[in-house]
Amino acid sequence: DLLPVPEMMGRGSFMEGEELQDVCDKLGLDKWGTPKTWGLPAQPQRSVFCSRTVNMRSIRCIGYDMDYTLIHYKVTEWEGRAYMYAKENLEQVGFPVDELIFDPELVCRGLIIDKKLGNMVKVDRFGLVKRAMHGNRRLSISETHAVYGRQLVDLRESRWVFLNTLFSVSEGCLYAQLVAKLDRGELTVMDGKGGTLGPLSYEQLFNAVSKALFKAHVEGRLKADVMKDPERYVEFDNELPLTLLDQREAGKKLALITNSDWQYTKVMMQQVFDRFLPNGMSWRGFFYVI
């Protein structure tokens, strides 16, 4: 509501940069559309962006996840470690993965795995595939259209796996690399008795990678590494405790909701919060429910 509307824009539907600046100056707005009278620093990297207005006066309780929300991990370090342990788990069941190296630039959050064809796809808001990658090779526009055409990706179908968290980066990277090895005929899986298993399907390959990553997360070694050296794996933010304090002072009840075990939660929250709090204050004092 604070930014200029089309009726204010004179000719056409867009304004030149100087025209927009003049309008913002007249309205008392900075270049981000924020009233200058609010006295807020123009730091968009520290802002919260939303698609709709929420009246916080009506909100009595605010719930927070812990991993990648209150605690933001260094993706390359954390996911690289998870990748390493997943590789070890795959090696133990006969996968030749020793030469593979974690590539954090290969995949990103928001992509979708096609388990049937071994592809990684990016879809638009209607579910149409706009880009695709097979293994570590990006498909051309004509190849993508030939494979998917006007097919809609329905995440309710078991064929598709949505990489919807940063924890998925290592999984997507390892799967894409193994698809490439499978296509080159380099993925001969031993059965533990000196023999070889039959050829894997792309879905069987995904299931093996997913199981190896799951084991890496639950067996304890990864979290033990993080607790031992949090500075290596965690992005510390001294303004985060202040944000929660502001919400508490505004009368909000805060809840911490996580599927991490209590020992890990206690150690990591203490590391991330308590160093920035006044003496005698603990992170547990922020939350009404944990």
Side-chain angles (χ1 to χ4, degrees):
D1 295 339
L2 298 174
L3 292 175
V5 295
E7 290 75 17
M8 302 169 57
M9 294 185 178
R11 65 180 186 279
S13 299
F14 299 94
M15 289 189 294
E16 299 295 333
E18 293 182 0
E19 293 177 295
L20 180 59
Q21 185 61 56
D22 288 341
V23 172
C24 286
D25 289 341
K26 291 177 183 178
L27 294 175
L29 306 178
D30 63 22
K31 63 180 180 179
W32 308 108
T34 304
K36 296 178 181 178
T37 55
W38 289 5
L40 300 178
Q43 295 179 288
Q45 69 274 19
R46 302 296 298 174
S47 301
V48 175
F49 296 87
C50 61
S51 57
R52 60 181 297 179
T53 300
V54 176
N55 183 358
M56 292 300 293
R57 292 185 180 89
S58 64
I59 304 298
R60 299 173 59 188
C61 181
I62 303 173
Y64 285 100
D65 185 23
M66 185 180 74
D67 297 310
Y68 277 125
T69 303
L70 292 180
I71 297 179
H72 187 74
Y73 299 104
K74 298 175 182 178
V75 177
T76 300
E77 293 292 339
W78 169 279
E79 294 305 309
R81 201 68 169 177
Y83 177 96
M84 182 193 76
Y85 285 132
K87 274 180 53 180
E88 290 183 4
N89 292 335
L90 287 172
E91 283 185 298
Q92 291 175 2
V93 293
F95 280 76
V97 295
D98 185 60
E99 83 286 358
L100 297 181
I101 299 174
F102 177 57
D103 180 2
E105 302 298 324
L106 185 59
V107 300
C108 66
R109 179 177 55 178
L111 299 180
I112 298 170
I113 289 177
D114 179 354
K115 295 190 294 183
K116 179 179 178 181
L117 300 179
N119 293 339
M120 203 89 63
V121 302
K122 179 179 181 181
V123 304
D124 62 16
R125 60 176 177 157
F126 303 108
L128 294 171
V129 176
K130 308 304 292 183
R131 297 179 183 177
M133 182 173 70
H134 184 76
N136 50 17
R137 183 183 73 86
R138 182 170 171 177
L139 302 185
S140 66
I141 294 176
S142 59
E143 287 177 308
T144 301
H145 183 74
V147 173
Y148 293 106
R150 301 292 294 176
Q151 179 179 358
L152 295 178
V153 173
D154 186 347
L155 294 177
R156 293 172 297 183
E157 299 175 0
S158 61
R159 171 180 177 175
W160 313 101
V161 177
F162 186 27
L163 305 181
N164 61 342
T165 75
L166 289 171
F167 287 126
S168 303
V169 172
S170 53
E171 180 179 49
C173 174
L174 187 53
Y175 180 63
Q177 292 172 333
L178 288 176
V179 166
K181 284 179 68 71
L182 181 62
D183 289 346
R184 293 194 300 265
E186 300 173 0
L187 197 59
T188 302
V189 182
M190 309 304 293
D191 63 5
K193 300 179 181 179
T196 60
L197 299 176
L200 293 173
S201 68
Y202 293 123
E203 182 168 359
Q204 288 172 324
L205 180 59
F206 173 80
N207 291 339
V209 171
S210 181
K211 183 177 180 180
L213 255 299
F214 178 78
K215 184 178 179 181
H217 281 282
V218 302
E219 64 186 354
R221 290 188 295 167
L222 176 58
K223 289 185 176 180
D225 291 342
V226 178
M227 287 189 288
K228 183 178 179 180
D229 189 7
E231 283 78 9
R232 176 180 175 182
Y233 296 98
V234 176
E235 297 279 3
F236 291 94
D237 184 354
N238 63 343
E239 294 187 9
L240 178 57
L242 298 179
T243 300
L244 299 190
L245 279 173
D246 285 345
Q247 293 173 354
R248 284 292 305 273
E249 290 298 318
K252 311 302 180 186
K253 291 183 177 180
L254 307 184
L256 176 62
I257 306 168
T258 177
N259 60 359
S260 289
D261 63 83
W262 170 243
Q263 181 62 26
Y264 182 77
T265 299
K266 180 174 65 174
V267 170
M268 295 308 298
M269 289 294 290
Q270 182 178 4
Q271 289 283 347
V272 170
F273 279 85
D274 287 6
R275 65 179 64 198
F276 301 121
L277 296 176
N279 291 335
M281 191 171 185
S282 166
W283 68 272
R284 296 184 68 173
F286 285 114
F287 299 101
Y288 182 74
V289 175
I290 299 173

